[in-house]
Amino acid sequence: MTQLTQSVRLEFDDDVALIRIDNPPVNALSQHVRQGLLDGVTQAESSDAKSIVVICDGRTFIAGADITEFSGPPQPPDLQSVQDAMENCSKPIIAAVHGTALGGGLEVALCAHYRVGVAGSKYGLPEVKLGLLPGAGGTQRLPRITGAAKALEMMTSGEPIDAQEAFQCGLIDELVEDLENGAVAFARRAVTEQMPLLRIRDRNDKVANTPESLFHDFRTSIARRTRGFLAPEYNIRCIEAAVELDFEAGLKREQELFRDLMKGTQSKAQQYYFFAERAALKIPGLPKDTPTVEVSRCGVLGAGTMGGGIAMNFANSGIPVTIVERDDEALQRGLGVVRSNYERTAARGGISSDDVETRMGLISGSTDMGDFADCDLIIEAVFENMALKKEIFEQLDGICKDGAVLASNTSALDINEIASATSRPDAVIGMHFFSPANVMKMLEVVRGDATSNTAIATAMGIGRSIGKTPVLCGVCHGFVGNRMLFMRGIEAEKMILEGAPPSRIDQILFDFGFPMGPFAMSDLAGLDIGWDAATSSGSTVRELLCESGRRGQKNGSGYYNYDPKTRAATPDSEVEEMIQAFAERQGIVRREITDQEILERCLYPMVNEGAKILDEGIAIRGSDVDVVWINGYGWPMYTGGPMFWADTIGLQEVAERIQHYASTLGGDHWEISPLIQNQVSDGGSLSTYAN
Ligand code: 3HC
Ligand code: NAI
C-alpha cells in the first residue's frame, strides 16, 4: 500500500490496483484528492497491475468538486488532467460507486472505461442547484451515454437517478452486490475478456438522432419552474453543443459557459445558500448528542387549513397522527380536505391509490383531546387567538404524557405567554409551518425562554425527518419571516394609496423573482383572515374590500377579480376607484412612483427588519434569515435571500436609502438598524453575521 496524498492511497489486490479515496465527509474532489488520483493512475499504469479500480471509503463515492475551494484561486492539478490520465490510461479503469456519484464525482466516473455500482447508489449532476453547470466534461459525456432528453432532465433538475435506472440507461455497466469484490471481479474480466478501453468522448450514437424540436419543447416545459435562474438555460446550451458540435468543441463551449456562470452573482448566491441551509441545523450550545423525544405518534389540534396539511406531513413519513377537532362536522370537513388533497396527488400520478389509503389509515380523527395522551409531540393549530391558545395549552398540560413536546403553530403570538399556561414551559415550543403546510418546506422552530434543549432538538430533528427545512429563532411578534413580511406590507399598503396600483407593485416583485406580490398573496390567503364584520370600520383598504364582499381568491374577488375556471387574476377598476376615494378621504396626494422606489420600499424595510432581528438575537445568523425567506416566501434563491442580496448591493448604499426613506416618509420601520450601521462602518456584512 502506498499513501499517495493525505486522502488517497494505492493498494493492490494481486493483479488489480485499487485507488482508494478517503476524504470525509463526502469524498469531495479537494486538491489532494485530485493529486492522489492523478498519481494513482500514473503509478498503477506503470506497475504490474493489469487493471485499476477507483473506489471510495466512507459513506459515498466522490460527491463532487470541493465547493469550499471555489472562492480561492485554482490549485493544480486541474480535474481535466486527472480525467485525461484516466481516459487515456492503457489499462482498464473501473469506477466502483456506492452512495452518491455527484457532479465532479460523476464526471470522474464517466472518464473510467467502465462503471459498476451497488443497489442504492445514485448518479447525478446537481451543479444547476449551485447556479453552475458540470464543468469537467459532464455536459458532453452524459448526453453521449444517456441521450440528450435524459441529460436535459437530469442536468436542469439536478436530481440524481438510482442505480437501477443508471444500469438501464447504460450509465453503469453492472450492478454488483459487494462493491469491492464486484468491482475487482469486473476489472479482472475486463482483462481476460479483452474488453475495449471505452472512452465516452468517442461515442456519438446516443446524440446522433436527437429530434430538432427537443430543445424548444424542453425549454417551454421548464420555463415556469426555472424563471429567473440562469443555470438551467446554460446547461441546456451545453447539451445542444453536445448534439451539434464535436467533443472538443463542445468541451470548449462548456468551459466558456461554466466560467460565465462562475463569475456571476447567481452562482455565488446559490453556493451561499447550499451552506446556509446546512448551517441552520447547527445550534450553538446544543450538543449533537442532545437527547430527543422519539416521535412514534403525533397529535394535531385543529383540522383547518394548517392542521390538515401538518398532519399530512407526518402521515407521508409513516408516522401515525391523531387529529382532534372541536366537533364532528369540522373534523369530517378537515379529513375530507386531506383525503381530496391526497386523491388529487394520486390523480396526477404523484402517489398510488394504495398510498392514499395507507396515509389516510395513519390519520385517526377524534373530538376528544384525551386521545392525545399517547402522543409524543402535539402541534396546536387552532385559531390565532391568545386566550384560546392558553386555554388549550392548559388542557394539554393535564392530558399529555410526561416528556411530550407541546408545540404551537402560531404565526406570530408569544410562545412564552402560551407556555405560561402550562406547568411545563420547558416542553413548549413554536413549530411554525407555512401554508400549504404539506408543500412548503419552511419550518420556523421558535424557542421560548424556558424551552428545553430536548424540545428544540426534537422539533429540529422531526422537522428534518418530515422533509422540512427547520430554522431556529427566538420569540418576537411574527418571528423572523412574518415580522419582516409585516414591514413590506406597511409600505405596499401606503404605496397603493400614493398612486401605485396593486397590480403594478405585484408585477415588480414578480419580476424581481417572487412567485407573487403582496396583493396576490393576500388574495390567496384570504382577505378576511383576522377580519371581523362586527368591528370593521372601513379604516383600511383591506377592510373596505371585505366589507364590499371581496374576500380574495376563495370567493372570486379581492384586490383582483378571478376567473372561476382558470383562477387568472385581472385588476378591477372598481377596486382602483375604491383606493383612490379612500386616499382622497385621507388627504393623501397621489403621484407617479418609479419602479425603483416601489422595489426599494418593499424590500429595504425587510432588510432593515432582518438586521434588527439579528441585532436582537432572535435569529442566530444572517444566513438563517435568508433560509427563512427563500423557503417560506419564495424570495428568489438566485439572489441569496434578503441579507445576501443587501450585501450584494452594498450595505453603504442600502443604509443611505433606508435613511433617505426614514427622513422623507418616517415610521419606526424605517429607523435604521444599528447592526447595519455597525457593519457599514466595520466593512462587515449581514449574510455572514452570526450571534
Ligand atoms: N464540497 C464541500 N463540502 C461539501 C460538499 C462539497 N461538494 N458536499 C457536501 N459537503 C459538506 C457539507 O457542507 C456538510 O458539511 P457540514 O457537516 O460541515 O455541514 C457535509 O459535507 C455533509 O453534507 P450533508 O449534510 O449535505 O450530507 P448528506 O449526507 O445529507 O448529503 C450529499 C450528502 C448528497 C453528498 C450532499 O452533501 C450534496 O448534495 N452535496 C453537494 C453535491 C454537489 O453539489 N456536487 C457538485 C459540486 S459542484 C461540481 O462538482 C462542479 C464540477 O462540475 C466541476
Ligand atoms: P383555520 O381557521 O383554517 O383552522 C383552525 C381550526 O381549528 C378550525 O378547523 C377550528 O374548527 C379548529 N379549532 C378551533 N378551536 C378548536 C378547539 N378548541 N379544539 C379543536 N379544534 C379547534 O386556521 P388556520 O389557517 O389553519 O390557522 C391555524 C393556526 O395556524 C393559527 O394559529 C394561524 O395563525 C397559524 N398559521 C396559519 C397560516 C395560514 O396561512 N393559514 C400559516 C401559518 C400559521
Side-chain angles (χ1 to χ4, degrees):
M1 191 272 277
T2 314
Q3 189 75 40
L4 298 167
T5 63
Q6 67 191 76
S7 56
V8 184
R9 46 192 206 276
L10 180 63
E11 298 168 358
F12 291 92
D13 178 347
D14 199 5
D15 54 347
V16 180
L18 287 110
I19 301 172
R20 200 183 289 277
I21 300 166
D22 182 17
N23 185 28
V26 296
N27 288 316
L29 282 165
S30 315
Q31 186 279 334
H32 42 88
V33 173
R34 299 193 299 276
Q35 187 68 59
L37 260 171
L38 185 59
D39 295 348
V41 172
T42 316
Q43 292 187 25
E45 195 172 13
S46 60
S47 75
D48 291 339
K50 295 196 173 99
S51 55
I52 303 165
V53 168
V54 176
I55 191 164
C56 292
D57 280 349
R59 64 194 209 212
T60 178
F61 190 74
I62 306 164
D66 184 344
I67 308 169
T68 59
E69 284 185 359
F70 285 177
S71 47
Q75 305 278 340
D78 62 19
L79 194 51
Q80 195 173 337
S81 30
V82 179
Q83 293 174 300
D84 287 347
M86 289 175 69
E87 249 180 355
N88 299 325
C89 182
S90 56
K91 296 174 179 175
I93 301 186
I94 285 81
V97 179
H98 75 297
T100 42
L102 296 180
L106 181 58
E107 293 176 290
V108 164
L110 291 174
C111 290
H113 304 112
Y114 296 96
R115 285 151 294 281
V116 300
V118 287
S121 53
K122 291 193 171 157
Y123 305 78
L125 292 175
E127 283 84 348
V128 71
K129 294 185 181 175
L130 301 170
L132 291 172
L133 53 86
T139 67
Q140 303 306 297
R141 289 191 180 89
L142 186 71
R144 282 182 162 76
I145 211 160
T146 61
K150 187 79 209 160
L152 280 170
E153 210 181 280
M154 287 174 69
M155 282 166 47
T156 58
S157 71
E159 291 303 318
I161 57 173
D162 64 20
Q164 196 60 41
E165 195 177 353
F167 179 61
Q168 272 154 13
C169 70
L171 190 52
I172 58 174
D173 302 282
E174 192 169 281
L175 272 164
V176 293
E177 265 181 31
D178 178 283
L179 185 68
E180 186 167 332
N181 288 333
V184 167
F186 191 103
R188 292 207 170 102
R189 257 195 353 265
V191 175
T192 52
E193 294 175 13
Q194 296 184 337
M195 295 184 192
L197 299 180
L198 290 180
R199 301 191 320 165
I200 294 172
R201 62 160 66 213
D202 299 330
R203 288 182 57 177
N204 286 314
D205 53 312
K206 289 282 179 65
V207 287
N209 296 316
T210 306
E212 256 174 48
S213 56
L214 177 72
F215 293 101
H216 172 267
D217 294 351
F218 189 78
R219 281 189 170 97
T220 312
S221 74
I222 63 161
R224 198 157 159 247
R225 178 166 59 78
T226 58
R227 184 174 67 92
F229 285 88
L230 284 178
E233 170 58 24
Y234 276 52
N235 274 273
I236 296 174
R237 286 185 201 163
C238 286
I239 302 173
E240 275 175 328
V243 168
E244 289 162 8
L245 309 176
D246 65 36
F247 184 84
E248 284 302 331
L251 210 54
K252 200 163 155 259
R253 183 99 183 96
E254 175 192 281
Q255 288 305 306
E256 285 161 11
L257 293 172
F258 182 81
R259 276 194 296 273
D260 263 15
L261 285 178
M262 198 61 148
K263 276 198 307 245
T265 51
Q266 288 207 357
S267 69
K268 289 188 183 66
Q270 288 178 251
Q271 285 157 40
Y272 158 80
Y273 178 75
F274 176 86
F275 289 111
E277 204 178 46
R278 284 159 177 80
L281 301 173
K282 293 174 188 142
I283 316 294
L286 191 82
K288 264 195 167 162
D289 56 358
T290 303
T292 55
V293 177
E294 197 188 323
V295 181
S296 312
R297 176 170 281 277
C298 174
V300 175
L301 186 66
T305 308
M306 295 305 289
I310 294 169
M312 287 172 77
N313 289 308
F314 289 89
N316 295 348
S317 307
I319 300 170
V321 192
T322 301
I323 186 159
V324 174
E325 255 293 348
R326 51 185 171 163
D327 58 43
D328 199 53
E329 195 190 329
L331 177 66
Q332 294 315 326
R333 191 181 54 232
L335 291 176
V337 172
V338 171
R339 175 172 280 282
S340 65
N341 276 339
Y342 277 139
E343 283 171 350
R344 211 172 320 123
T345 311
R348 285 200 306 256
I351 54 174
S352 70
S353 44
D354 281 354
D355 290 337
V356 175
E357 297 315 319
T358 310
R359 293 175 198 200
M360 285 308 294
L362 284 167
I363 302 177
S364 42
S366 164
T367 51
D368 177 5
M369 276 174 63
D371 288 339
F372 284 147
D374 62 346
C375 293
D376 307 291
L377 163 69
I378 297 90
I379 303 172
E380 164 279 312
V382 303
F383 306 130
E384 186 78 336
N385 175 308
M386 180 56 91
L388 174 64
K389 297 216 190 248
K390 283 173 85 171
E391 191 187 311
I392 276 166
F393 271 75
E394 195 181 337
Q395 287 175 48
L396 289 175
D397 193 21
I399 292 165
C400 299
K401 64 183 177 191
D402 278 353
V405 172
L406 312 183
S408 172
N409 181 51
T410 176
S411 3
L413 299 177
D414 183 344
I415 297 295
N416 290 323
E417 194 176 340
I418 295 175
S420 73
T422 72
S423 65
R424 39 174 145 173
D426 54 321
V428 177
I429 195 161
M431 285 180 75
H432 178 216
F433 291 79
F434 285 59
S435 181
N438 54 318
V439 177
M440 297 295 285
K441 286 212 158 298
M442 191 58 222
L443 173 66
E444 276 179 326
V445 174
V446 189
R447 74 167 136 200
D449 294 342
T451 307
S452 68
N453 277 354
T454 292
I456 295 172
T458 303
M460 296 292 289
I462 194 75
R464 281 273 280 167
S465 317
I466 60 172
K468 301 293 169 191
T469 303
V471 172
L472 184 68
C473 64
V475 173
C476 65
H477 187 69
F479 317 125
V480 174
N482 281 339
R483 179 168 157 184
M484 289 165 70
L485 181 72
F486 298 149
M487 302 307 141
R488 184 179 82 177
I490 294 173
E491 285 303 306
E493 285 291 330
K494 278 168 63 184
M495 283 190 285
I496 59 173
L497 298 177
E498 290 169 28
S503 56
R504 182 148 161 253
I505 296 177
D506 279 353
Q507 185 65 48
I508 286 169
L509 289 175
F510 179 81
D511 293 344
F512 179 76
F514 280 100
M516 63 182 85
F519 299 101
M521 192 168 137
S522 298
D523 273 359
L524 183 64
L527 294 181
D528 54 356
I529 289 187
W531 177 74
D532 183 351
T535 53
S536 186
S537 57
S539 62
T540 60
V541 172
R542 194 177 174 132
E543 280 195 342
L544 285 171
L545 290 169
C546 286
E547 285 166 23
S548 67
R550 306 181 75 104
R551 304 285 158 82
Q553 261 200 42
K554 62 183 167 193
N555 79 340
S557 63
Y559 286 100
Y560 298 90
N561 290 338
Y562 292 90
D563 183 295
K565 282 205 191 92
T566 62
R567 287 201 256 163
T570 22
D572 185 346
S573 56
E574 197 183 293
V575 172
E576 195 44 37
E577 280 157 23
M578 192 185 282
I579 293 171
Q580 283 187 27
F582 183 74
E584 209 166 295
R585 288 199 296 280
Q586 303 273 310
I588 295 166
V589 183
R590 289 172 65 86
R591 63 185 172 92
E592 193 53 46
I593 305 181
T594 65
D595 289 359
Q596 180 68 13
E597 179 175 342
I598 290 175
L599 195 66
E600 289 182 354
R601 286 178 63 184
C602 283
L603 302 189
Y604 285 167
M606 294 174 60
V607 171
N608 198 29
E609 202 64 22
K612 289 179 187 172
I613 285 170
L614 277 174
D615 219 2
E616 293 165 23
I618 299 290
I620 297 173
R621 7 175 139 66
S623 59
D624 288 1
V625 174
D626 287 335
V627 173
V628 169
W629 264 84
I630 287 173
N631 286 288
Y633 305 84
W635 182 294
M637 185 193 283
Y638 51 79
T639 70
M643 303 288 101
F644 187 90
W645 176 72
D647 288 338
T648 317
I649 289 176
L651 282 189
Q652 170 90 43
E653 149 108 15
V654 172
E656 279 166 17
R657 297 308 292 160
I658 291 174
Q659 280 164 324
H660 162 77
Y661 290 118
S663 61
T664 52
L665 303 169
D668 290 350
H669 60 295
W670 282 119
E671 208 166 280
I672 192 157
S673 137
L675 178 65
I676 296 185
Q677 287 178 309
N678 288 342
Q679 297 302 78
V680 168
S681 48
D682 296 354
S685 77
L686 293 180
S687 57
T688 57
Y689 182 84
N691 280 303

